[in-house]
Amino acid sequence: MNIAAISLTCHDCSLCIIKDGEVYENILEERLSTIKKDGKFFFLSEKLSKFEQDYGLDKIYIANGDDEDIKLAELYLKKYNINCQIEIIHEEHHLYHASSAYYSSGFDEAVCLVMDGWGAQHKLEDIFDIIDEIDDDNIDELLSLTEPNFLETTSIYSVKDNQFKIIYKNYLMPPLTASMELDFKNYLSIIVNSDLVDVNTCLDIGMMYGRTTQHLGFSNMDGGKTMGLAAYGEEDPELPSFLNDTKLFGNSNLFFHTFFNWTYHPHLSHNDDLQRKANIAYKLQKSVEDAIVLRVGKILEKYPDTKNLAFSGGVALNICANSAIKKAYPDLNLFIDPIASDACQAYGIAKFYSNVDRKSIKNKPLETIYMGPKYDLKLKKIEIEIAVAKENKKRYNTIKGKL
């Protein structure tokens, strides 16, 4: 059976094709459009059409996009005469991160930790599906509460024999209006007493990192620059704590929902001074490392038999934090998803749905991350040499004209 998965995230739009149970191709739109982190589904449709013509296609899974994104993708599929069953799926964004990490790891049994800025938006009913503590008498009222949207930020799954089980989730809850507080009062008290779910207004690690990265003058997608800058920083006692008392989430006096409240902490004003910015980055990086190590420690405390941990999501791109995990828990088999950002989503979707009905199979580790287009290397070399020669001739003529 040949299937394809399309992830319509607003950045890193991706396509993964499974041919006869094996990954045939996994590719990002940006690799074809040359636009970094391209979130559009355009060139990938031509790639998918070529595969269908050559090998046939049984089913396409589409996830992560809003209604407008999905309509546009379906339009492109129609334009390229791709005719097969299409299934729009609305599972958790974090599930596909976990799937990507698990099926890449080669572990037969593992705990999957997913941490990113924020995953999919969820209604209150989705949270209670996890908790499974709602009376039938209250179900209609629960379904009527369509606001606010909760954002998944950390998820933990146990995986065995291709069965993914949620063992923890954290959701970011936006500030509530007075009427919302009245509506949610009874429901939130149930959530507070649940071991499976946390719902709060404190920023989780990924979003905290993104907001500070913006404060330092970078895009919130450029956390790697902040991690690099941290290497030039040093401890500054004047900086406030970045974490709250739990040491797992952001200090809400500093991070207010999606804003960085540095106006309440004048020492965080850097005036574009490089050393000042580096010190802030250093404080952030150390705080994040401590929080992640503590998170892993809590997993091991609650599930002491855990031998294998697979880590995915944008936060898993922080190589310094990953090293801190390994240093703190040297006996833990730690696997980091090699495509931990949203670029892994189509791969995670494809692997999940191609294995969802399979039991007790041997999970093969990912042997290479080079799963994109295949080229005739000899031909490609000639093409490169011709392109370089033309560019050199163009530059030579330009310089000659100026002389």
Side-chain angles (χ1 to χ4, degrees):
M1 185 175 184
N2 298 337
I3 69 169
I6 301 168
S7 172
L8 298 175
T9 47
C10 59
H11 55 87
D12 294 315
C13 180
S14 56
L15 167 70
C16 183
I17 302 172
I18 302 284
K19 180 178 179 290
D20 299 326
E22 300 292 336
V23 175
Y24 172 82
E25 190 169 53
N26 184 58
I27 189 168
L28 297 175
E29 178 76 12
E30 71 166 26
R31 298 300 182 184
L32 304 176
S33 70
T34 70
I35 300 173
K36 187 176 181 180
K37 292 192 171 297
D38 198 340
K40 296 181 175 61
F41 178 76
F42 180 72
F43 289 100
L44 290 176
S45 54
E46 183 178 4
K47 179 72 66 174
L48 189 56
S49 175
K50 179 69 165 55
F51 176 85
E52 186 189 39
Q53 292 172 20
D54 291 344
Y55 303 105
L57 194 58
D58 298 293
K59 194 171 186 178
I60 298 174
Y61 294 94
I62 300 178
N64 290 322
D66 59 24
D67 291 343
E68 195 63 34
D69 294 328
I70 292 169
K71 286 180 181 177
L72 194 57
E74 290 178 324
L75 181 65
Y76 286 134
L77 294 176
K78 185 177 180 180
K79 175 183 176 182
Y80 282 94
N81 298 313
I82 300 173
N83 297 305
C84 68
Q85 182 183 355
I86 297 175
E87 183 173 342
I88 311 300
I89 50 179
H90 300 285
E91 297 277 2
E92 310 141 76
H93 178 81
H94 280 189
L95 175 62
Y96 308 133
H97 275 302
S99 172
S100 175
Y102 172 71
Y103 287 112
S104 298
S105 69
F107 297 146
D108 292 322
E109 183 176 347
V111 169
C112 294
L113 172 62
V114 179
M115 302 180 75
D116 62 6
W118 54 89
Q121 295 185 358
H122 290 267
K123 305 297 183 186
L124 193 63
E125 63 177 287
D126 300 325
I127 296 174
F128 273 90
D129 279 342
I130 298 172
I131 298 175
D132 197 23
E133 289 187 19
I134 191 68
D135 296 330
D136 291 339
D137 295 339
N138 296 331
I139 192 66
D140 290 337
E141 179 186 2
L142 182 64
L143 293 174
S144 69
L145 299 175
T146 58
E147 294 291 340
N149 288 316
F150 298 83
L151 300 172
E152 57 183 1
T153 60
T154 290
S155 299
I156 305 172
Y157 300 81
S158 64
V159 192
K160 184 177 182 180
D161 296 335
N162 295 307
Q163 303 301 303
F164 288 72
K165 178 184 177 183
I166 297 170
I167 57 178
Y168 175 79
K169 267 189 177 288
N170 181 76
Y171 295 91
L172 176 71
M173 179 178 67
L176 302 178
T177 64
S179 61
M180 284 182 183
E181 287 182 1
L182 290 174
D183 290 337
F184 284 100
K185 184 177 180 181
N186 293 331
Y187 293 110
L188 290 179
S189 65
I190 298 174
I191 294 172
V192 167
N193 293 319
S194 169
D195 291 331
L196 282 174
V197 172
D198 276 334
V199 171
N200 58 65
T201 56
C202 297
L203 295 196
D204 209 338
I205 298 306
M207 193 178 290
M208 184 178 89
Y209 212 98
R211 294 305 168 233
T212 307
T213 294
Q214 284 182 309
H215 173 62
L216 294 174
F218 309 125
S219 161
N220 68 343
M221 299 294 291
D222 286 332
K225 294 179 180 178
T226 300
M227 184 181 70
L229 182 61
Y232 298 91
E234 56 191 28
E235 189 65 43
D236 185 343
E238 292 185 332
L239 295 177
S241 173
F242 277 40
L243 299 172
N244 64 13
D245 290 344
T246 69
K247 305 302 181 185
L248 291 171
F249 301 103
N251 179 357
S252 57
N253 288 323
L254 179 57
F255 303 96
F256 177 71
H257 194 47
T258 58
F259 297 98
F260 191 77
N261 276 353
W262 61 272
T263 52
Y264 292 100
H265 299 278
H267 293 298
L268 285 166
S269 179
H270 54 70
N271 297 317
D272 211 27
D273 178 78
L274 181 60
Q275 188 58 54
R276 192 72 179 167
K277 291 166 73 173
N279 291 350
I280 294 171
Y282 177 88
K283 179 81 171 185
L284 172 70
Q285 178 64 32
K286 292 302 178 185
S287 299
V288 165
E289 289 176 17
D290 291 344
I292 294 174
V293 168
L294 181 59
R295 174 70 72 193
V296 173
K298 287 189 173 295
I299 293 173
L300 298 177
E301 181 181 324
K302 191 170 183 179
Y303 303 96
D305 294 333
T306 300
K307 299 291 188 297
N308 306 318
L309 181 71
F311 190 16
S312 188
V315 175
L317 295 172
N318 194 308
I319 190 172
C320 295
N322 297 338
S323 298
I325 298 173
K326 193 61 182 175
K327 182 179 180 180
Y329 307 105
D331 296 330
L332 181 66
N333 296 322
L334 177 64
F335 178 83
I336 309 299
D337 189 342
I339 321 173
S341 69
D342 282 359
C344 79
Q345 282 286 295
Y347 176 81
I349 295 164
K351 293 294 284 186
F352 180 82
Y353 284 101
S354 64
N355 288 289
V356 71
D357 295 324
R358 302 174 69 187
K359 310 284 186 182
S360 302
I361 64 167
K362 185 71 176 175
N363 184 18
K364 296 190 298 184
L366 187 68
E367 296 179 349
T368 177
I369 61 172
Y370 297 100
M371 300 179 288
K374 300 170 180 61
Y375 300 103
D376 183 327
L377 295 181
K378 185 178 290 186
L379 178 63
K380 198 66 180 176
K381 181 181 179 181
I382 295 173
E383 290 177 350
I384 292 172
E385 289 175 347
I386 292 173
V388 170
K390 286 182 177 179
E391 184 64 23
N392 287 340
K393 183 178 180 181
K394 180 180 176 182
R395 290 183 180 182
Y396 171 79
N397 289 334
T398 300
I399 294 171
K400 185 177 179 181
K402 288 182 179 180
L403 294 176

